[in-house]
Amino acid sequence: MISANDFIPSQYSHSIENAKFSWSSPSNIALVKYWGKKDKQIPANPSVSFTLHNCKTITKLACAKKEKQDAFSFDLLFEGKPKEDFKPKIEQFFERVVLYLPFLKDYHFTIDTQNTFPHSSGIASSASGMAALAMNLMSLEKALNPEMTENYFYQKASFLARLGSGSACRSVKGKVVVWGNHRNISRSSDLFGVEFPYSIHENFNNFQDTILLVDKGEKQVSSSVGHNLMNEHPFAERRFEQANENLDKLITVFESGNLDEFITIVESEALTLHSMMMTSIPYFILVKPNTLEIINAIWKYRNETKIPVCFTLDAGANVHVLYPENVKETVLQFIKDELVGYCQNGQYICDQIGIGSEIIQY
């Protein structure tokens, strides 16, 4: 079994004075939810997600060797402009990963990042942002150690991304990604995400995700605080068992293409996530009245038309509408006619399953 120590490098074979890299990394949407974590960003239960395609972060990294190598040194730009309030999170990330990337204090970095989705759109950008930064840092390490294998490159990138934002480890590689040790998922690990290892029915090819932006405001409760509330939660242990059971069920569902069962699991997981928030101490509610209106409208539409459209939620008010590609036009018309009115400023984003992080010429 791979341990964190396997990602501590020995001496590098090459030396580099200056370098530039650029990667894009997508957001992802969990089907089986991760909620609750242990020390060092270890998940309390396994999760599985669809990797998205359009909602992504594009990050350029420039590095230059410096004389004094006693501290981290970096400039952070968001959409080309300095972004001081992002810097503490990057500093914390560097502190967490310097054991695994000992060159971090050798260079001054310029990190220039932007999102393809609107800023403050209510879509979590920490997963895509931390994944993109991890990919760039791994490109630098590979330049310092060209003998590195591709498998190690992606595993370590996912490992590093996790230390920045847990779900970021699911944004590195693959269409369907599992994070967290699970008895029936080969090579699954709490340390990094792995590509779903079993066959996936054609029903899930290019599966669509239309994200309805119900509320673009800042969340009342940060994800970190929410995860920590699971430590004393009266229903936590049963929830962790349920997540493992649902992941087991999805193995069969993905193979058979059973969309009815898929819908049952995915919607149940979304509602369970929010029920855990509502039953923690302190308790909180992140869904909004319009979230519930959308859910009820989807249920009514599905019942009347038998079209396999469903919803999931992240830790917020926005609704991800999931459906197969072969009903895309019909469902989009339904969304425009009946759901967009519940969105803030009528905003929504059309997305679909993607493949993970991609290198960009810089």
Side-chain angles (χ1 to χ4, degrees), residues 130-313:
M130 285 299 176
L133 181 55
M135 300 308 295
N136 279 294
L137 292 171
M138 282 308 298
S139 285
L140 176 55
E141 183 166 79
K142 185 166 177 59
L144 293 166
N145 180 26
E147 299 80 22
M148 181 186 297
T149 66
E150 181 179 352
N151 185 56
Y152 180 87
F153 177 93
Y154 281 103
Q155 265 190 0
K156 185 168 178 177
S158 182
F159 170 83
L160 297 172
R162 189 198 94 244
L163 292 172
S165 172
S167 58
C169 73
R170 300 190 308 242
S171 285
V172 168
K173 189 171 188 279
K175 295 179 177 181
V176 180
V177 180
V178 176
W179 169 39
N181 190 40
H182 184 272
R183 59 188 176 274
N184 292 323
I185 304 285
S186 61
R187 303 187 311 281
S188 61
S189 172
D190 290 339
L191 299 180
F192 46 82
V194 299
E195 292 186 73
F196 185 76
Y198 303 114
S199 62
I200 298 176
H201 194 276
E202 62 182 10
N203 283 352
F204 298 101
N205 288 350
N206 299 321
F207 218 72
Q208 304 292 299
D209 179 5
T210 299
I211 307 156
L212 307 181
L213 304 181
V214 173
D215 181 43
K216 303 194 296 177
E218 193 172 327
K219 286 189 297 193
Q220 308 155 234
V221 180
S222 74
S223 292
S224 293
V225 170
H227 284 296
N228 290 336
L229 290 175
M230 289 295 283
N231 294 336
E232 303 295 328
H233 201 294
F235 309 135
E237 287 308 313
R238 179 65 193 111
R239 163 57 200 153
F240 301 148
E241 291 171 4
Q242 180 195 45
N244 277 278
E245 292 161 6
N246 282 338
L247 186 44
D248 253 336
K249 291 175 184 175
L250 277 178
I251 294 172
T252 304
V253 166
F254 279 134
E255 185 173 21
S256 67
N258 186 333
L259 291 172
D260 290 337
E261 185 66 12
F262 174 82
I263 287 168
T264 298
I265 294 167
V266 168
E267 291 189 341
S268 171
E269 276 285 319
L271 295 174
T272 300
L273 170 66
H274 284 264
S275 72
M276 299 309 285
M277 299 175 196
M278 288 189 270
T279 50
S280 61
I281 301 294
Y283 42 79
F284 53 101
I285 299 175
L286 296 185
V287 294
K288 301 291 184 184
N290 280 0
T291 308
L292 300 177
E293 293 285 357
I294 289 168
I295 289 171
N296 280 309
I298 289 171
W299 283 342
K300 182 173 182 285
Y301 177 77
R302 187 171 72 227
N303 187 50
E304 291 175 350
T305 65
K306 308 306 177 191
I307 290 173
V309 57
C310 67
F311 71 88
T312 189
L313 309 167

Side-chain angles (χ1 to χ4, degrees), residues 38-186:
K38 306 169 191 175
D39 284 345
K40 299 181 181 177
Q41 300 286 87
I42 298 297
N45 67 265
S47 58
V48 62
S49 61
F50 279 155
T51 306
L52 297 182
H53 177 70
N54 297 327
C55 291
K56 56 192 175 186
T57 298
I58 299 167
T59 299
K60 297 177 180 178
L61 182 76
C63 46
K65 205 81 174 275
K66 56 190 177 73
E67 288 185 18
K68 287 187 73 174
Q69 300 172 354
D70 57 351
F72 302 125
S73 173
F74 64 92
D75 295 315
L76 183 64
L77 307 175
F78 181 70
E79 296 180 347
K81 298 175 183 176
K83 189 74 173 173
E84 292 299 313
D85 55 335
F86 282 9
K87 292 187 79 170
K89 186 156 189 175
I90 303 300
E91 184 89 25
Q92 180 188 55
F93 174 62
F94 279 5
E95 290 285 357
R96 287 178 177 174
V97 303
V98 67
L99 174 65
Y100 310 104
L101 299 174
F103 58 77
L104 281 179
K105 292 183 179 178
D106 298 349
Y107 294 91
H108 175 78
F109 296 99
T110 301
I111 305 164
D112 190 351
T113 189
Q114 61 180 317
N115 297 327
T116 60
F117 46 91
H119 184 50
S120 298
S121 66
I123 296 176
S125 58
S126 57
S128 55
M130 285 299 176
L133 181 55
M135 300 308 295
N136 279 294
L137 292 171
M138 282 308 298
S139 285
L140 176 55
E141 183 166 79
K142 185 166 177 59
L144 293 166
N145 180 26
E147 299 80 22
M148 181 186 297
T149 66
E150 181 179 352
N151 185 56
Y152 180 87
F153 177 93
Y154 281 103
Q155 265 190 0
K156 185 168 178 177
S158 182
F159 170 83
L160 297 172
R162 189 198 94 244
L163 292 172
S165 172
S167 58
C169 73
R170 300 190 308 242
S171 285
V172 168
K173 189 171 188 279
K175 295 179 177 181
V176 180
V177 180
V178 176
W179 169 39
N181 190 40
H182 184 272
R183 59 188 176 274
N184 292 323
I185 304 285
S186 61

